[in-house]
Amino acid sequence: MAAKDPVGAVLIVGGGISGMQSALDLGDSGFKVYVVDNKPTIGGVMAQLDKTFPTNDCAMCIMAPKLVGVGKHRNVEIITCAEVDKVEGKAGAFRVSLVKQPRRVDEEKCTGCGVCSQKCPVEAIDLYQEGTMSRAAIYVDYPQAVPLKYYIDKDRCIGCGICEGECPAGAVAYDQKEEIVTLDVGSVILSPGFDEFGAEAMKEYGHGRYPNVISSIEFERMLSATGPFRGTVMRPSDGRIPAKVAFIQCVGSRDEHHGHNFCSSVWCMHAIKEAMIAQEHTEGLSAHIYFMDIRAFGKEFDDYVEKAQTEFGIGMTRSNRVADITEVPGSKDLVVSYIEGEDIIQDTYIEACGRIEEYLQNPDVPFFVWLRFLTVQKLALAHRKHLGVQARAVSREVALHRGPLPAATSAALAAQLVGQLTTPSEAAMKAEMKIQLEQALN
């Protein structure tokens, strides 16, 4: 039964950026606030973004202070791995029942040290990285996560007991059960976020069939310095640098066949931002956006669109809708077809500058580029055994080369390392990376 008297507490359903800001505002005003999220951490989709429009500021730089603020606020209580089961009562006096799923890690004991994840022998697809990398069966999504408490994936955990034995805090609790949490609140704010449209349903675009067709959030992880490619734009099929990138807008939008009669208020600006950042990250890259209508209704949004066209030279084509995307056999290049007037136009999107051998011939390439190459090679080695069962996910990690490189190429890279690593710490790094490189290339 709900409380009879008004309750001065607020429940916020959803711990994304809007839910966090609401929690901070209400908490600062003296209200008791409960933030409920069905995931192990709060942050929502913004935690996956590289930059934000219209300022192109770092998304995590904006969000991290809010994460810390919510996590440490004396008036805010975070309840993760939970969903609302039912709400009873009336405005001012609600009783809310939550179903809280087991984390299998004691939040009071866990210090977030990460030893358990390092020792875990199981690999699973990392959904935070949109399936482009692997993670352990016990994990946190990202280093700034709040709460910084590890979570055991029950579907991947084999119950080996290694994490339980290695945890210095004794926080692993395999026997945790589902529980019901009851809250009395005066108001409920719904901030549930969104789910991505399943682009696989639009078979004409080839998402899920063509490796070089990816979603906007997958591309966002590609652009991120903490993503699988460390911010480098690469073709998932072969690791080559693309010459051109197409952004297909309005996929599933205003489409009665897929149950969406509405238009998004976000994705026009999101695509323009990604096109700008992609060109900043990859010299010589050409970006083109295909759309039905541009929704630029926010403050300085029109200026942002104009900047993309005039300063960045981003192409924009307004058409009915892109008809289809086809893949060129062998090269994995893509052909985008659309109607302009009475004509059928076909634009081809191809790779540009090739594989690592071509980079090695350039003595002006900075050293951090070699480190990035080696990092990707290291990932390729670690996950090569999964080729076939997770080919689509692994292909994005094998960013430079699937097969062995010529001996001369390997020797040239080793020489580059020997010439530029001088301090003891760098020398140790060199030795480790040379071993990883030899294993990956031979």
Side-chain angles (χ1 to χ4, degrees), residues 111-416:
T111 63
C113 68
V115 172
C116 56
S117 185
Q118 295 170 12
K119 301 296 184 179
C120 178
V122 178
E123 288 186 345
I125 294 176
D126 191 339
L127 297 181
Y128 171 76
Q129 298 287 2
E130 292 293 311
T132 61
M133 295 178 69
S134 298
R135 58 160 171 78
I138 181 168
Y139 68 99
V140 290
D141 279 336
Y142 51 96
Q144 302 90 343
V146 172
L148 190 59
K149 310 295 181 181
Y150 277 73
Y151 175 88
I152 294 179
D153 183 344
K154 67 176 182 178
D155 295 322
R156 297 295 297 174
C157 177
I158 60 175
C160 64
I162 291 177
C163 61
E164 184 178 27
E166 294 287 345
C167 179
V172 175
Y174 289 121
D175 58 350
Q176 275 190 356
K177 304 296 183 182
E178 178 184 290
E179 59 180 304
I180 303 297
V181 178
T182 302
L183 302 174
D184 289 324
V185 297
S187 299
V188 178
I189 296 177
L190 299 181
S191 182
F194 68 94
D195 289 324
E196 287 183 79
F197 173 72
E200 293 85 354
M202 306 286 285
K203 298 186 183 301
E204 61 268 34
Y205 296 143
H207 186 261
R209 289 188 295 125
Y210 305 147
N212 293 330
V213 177
I214 61 178
S215 73
S216 61
I217 301 297
E218 290 170 334
F219 192 65
E220 197 75 35
R221 296 313 303 154
M222 182 184 290
L223 293 175
S224 175
T226 62
F229 297 164
R230 304 299 188 264
T232 301
V233 179
M234 295 181 178
R235 303 200 327 169
S237 65
D238 52 20
R240 294 174 182 256
I241 307 297
K244 300 164 62 179
V245 175
F247 292 85
I248 312 301
Q249 295 300 97
C250 313
V251 177
S253 171
R254 290 182 282 178
D255 189 340
E256 293 182 353
H257 297 292
H258 293 92
H260 298 91
N261 297 325
F262 50 85
C263 179
S264 169
S265 62
V266 174
W267 296 115
C268 290
M269 304 302 296
H270 182 80
I272 293 170
K273 177 210 71 176
E274 286 192 332
M276 293 168 69
I277 300 302
Q279 291 192 173
E280 286 183 346
H281 286 200
T282 309
E283 185 177 357
L285 181 71
S286 173
H288 200 101
I289 301 175
Y290 301 85
F291 64 95
M292 293 173 65
D293 296 291
I294 289 290
R295 306 294 190 189
F297 58 85
K299 183 179 180 181
E300 299 180 358
F301 284 12
D302 273 328
D303 294 339
Y304 193 70
V305 175
E306 184 177 351
K307 178 181 178 180
Q309 294 176 290
T310 58
E311 295 185 24
F312 285 78
I314 293 171
M316 295 189 181
T317 296
R318 180 173 184 168
S319 64
N320 250 349
R321 197 187 293 270
V322 168
D324 66 17
I325 298 173
T326 55
E327 184 182 78
V328 179
S331 69
K332 304 295 184 182
D333 295 341
L334 300 172
V335 179
V336 176
S337 301
Y338 63 96
I339 296 176
E340 193 172 86
E342 297 181 356
D343 299 323
I344 298 177
I345 309 297
Q346 292 186 323
D347 293 341
T348 303
Y349 287 79
I350 61 175
E351 55 86 16
C353 53
R355 301 179 189 269
I356 188 172
E357 296 97 317
E358 299 174 38
Y359 286 100
L360 286 169
Q361 296 171 8
N362 182 1
D364 297 324
V365 174
F367 178 62
F368 77 87
V369 175
W370 305 126
L371 292 184
R372 182 166 58 203
F373 285 161
L374 287 174
T375 301
V376 179
Q377 289 286 5
K378 194 172 182 180
L379 288 170
L381 173 66
H383 303 294
R384 181 174 292 175
K385 63 184 179 181
H386 293 290
L387 282 172
V389 294
Q390 297 178 5
R392 182 165 174 259
V394 172
S395 68
R396 299 176 188 181
E397 294 184 17
V398 188
L400 297 174
H401 205 291
R402 285 185 179 176
L405 291 174
T409 301
S410 178
L413 182 54
Q416 181 77 11

